[in-house]
């Protein structure tokens, strides 16, 4: 007895060759890449073993504090803005009127609100003070730059004691 072979397979339906995503457009299938599955599995295994997860180089650099350039102590400091000169006067008046308020946050908030409502004529006095202080700063800064370029400001007190 010979076996009968089925040489004629007949027409194959189109849904049989399609993947699950193609067969039903309403049905979504979530596929996880093989590499991602391995990563998840290995991280779970490490967590079970109690090992600490290795921190990447990028993360460790972002958590480090950035160190700024060293500031020269002889360099002149920038003057305050007009608002800060106004705040000095306002703080005195506000403390006299409200002796129970001690927090700087409340004083600052009240000062900011007053500054916003203050007319241009009221602000001019503080802008004048700020402009004078800014001119003095610019002059001092130009002198500082000249000294630095000429090399006068480079010596420290320790260097002067050990002249040969």
């Amino acid at each position: 007895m010979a076996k009968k072979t089925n040489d004629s397979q007949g027409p194959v339906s189109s849904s049989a060759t399609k993947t699950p995503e193609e067969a039903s457009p309403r049905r979504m299938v979530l596929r996880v890449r093989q590499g991602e599955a391995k990563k998840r599995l290995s991280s779970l295994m490490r967590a079970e073993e109690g090992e600490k997860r290795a921190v990447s180089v990028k993360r460790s650099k972002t958590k480090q504090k950035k160190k700024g350039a060293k500031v020269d102590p002889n360099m002149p400091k920038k003057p305050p803005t007009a608002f800060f000169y106004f705040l000095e006067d306002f703080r005195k008046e506000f403390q006299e009127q409200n002796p129970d308020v001690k927090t700087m946050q409340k004083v600052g908030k009240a000062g900011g609100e007053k500054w916003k409502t203050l007319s241009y004529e009221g602000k001019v006095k503080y802008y004048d003070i700020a402009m004078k202080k800014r001119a003095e700063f610019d002059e001092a800064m130009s002198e500082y730059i000249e000294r630095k370029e000429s090399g006068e400001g480079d010596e420290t007190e320790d260097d002067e004691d050990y002249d040969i």
Side-chain angles (χ1 to χ4, degrees):
M1 292 181 103
K3 282 188 173 181
K4 250 184 166 177
T5 59
N6 191 2
D7 291 333
S8 63
Q9 294 179 348
V12 179
S13 70
S14 62
S15 64
T17 59
K18 292 184 181 178
T19 62
E21 296 93 5
E22 295 171 345
S24 174
R26 294 183 194 152
R27 185 174 167 203
M28 290 184 65
V29 177
L30 177 64
R31 287 187 159 180
V32 179
R33 292 183 184 168
Q34 188 66 17
E36 292 175 2
K38 286 182 181 179
K39 287 179 188 176
R40 288 181 187 159
L41 182 62
S42 64
S43 66
L44 287 172
M45 291 173 67
R46 275 187 274 164
E48 290 176 359
E49 294 172 2
E51 293 180 11
K52 287 188 177 180
R53 186 174 162 193
V55 179
S56 68
V57 176
K58 288 183 180 179
R59 285 189 180 181
S60 63
K61 283 184 180 178
T62 56
K63 289 186 179 182
Q64 291 176 353
K65 280 190 173 180
K66 292 183 180 180
K67 294 182 181 178
K70 291 184 180 178
V71 179
D72 187 3
N74 298 329
M75 188 168 77
K77 294 185 180 181
K78 288 185 180 178
T81 61
F83 173 71
F84 285 101
Y85 289 114
F86 161 77
L87 207 55
E88 285 178 18
D89 293 342
F90 176 78
R91 197 176 296 125
K92 293 173 189 171
E93 294 172 13
F94 188 79
Q95 288 296 332
E96 290 173 1
Q97 295 172 0
N98 305 314
D100 56 325
V101 177
K102 300 291 182 188
T103 62
M104 289 301 295
Q105 181 182 10
K106 291 181 181 178
V107 175
K109 264 189 180 178
E113 291 172 6
K114 175 83 176 197
W115 178 257
K116 286 178 186 176
T117 60
L118 195 62
S119 66
Y120 179 75
E121 290 80 22
K123 292 180 182 181
V124 167
K125 152 176 131 175
Y126 301 107
Y127 279 115
D128 290 340
I129 295 170
M131 292 297 288
K132 288 177 187 174
K133 297 291 184 178
R134 183 64 187 205
E136 291 173 10
F137 167 75
D138 290 338
E139 197 173 301
M141 194 66 182
S142 62
E143 290 174 7
Y144 168 76
I145 292 171
E146 287 176 12
R147 279 184 295 174
K148 190 153 181 118
E149 288 175 353
S150 66
E152 291 178 23
D154 292 344
E155 294 180 0
T156 60
E157 293 177 12
D158 295 336
D159 294 341
E160 294 171 1
D161 294 339
Y162 297 108
D163 285 337
I164 297 176

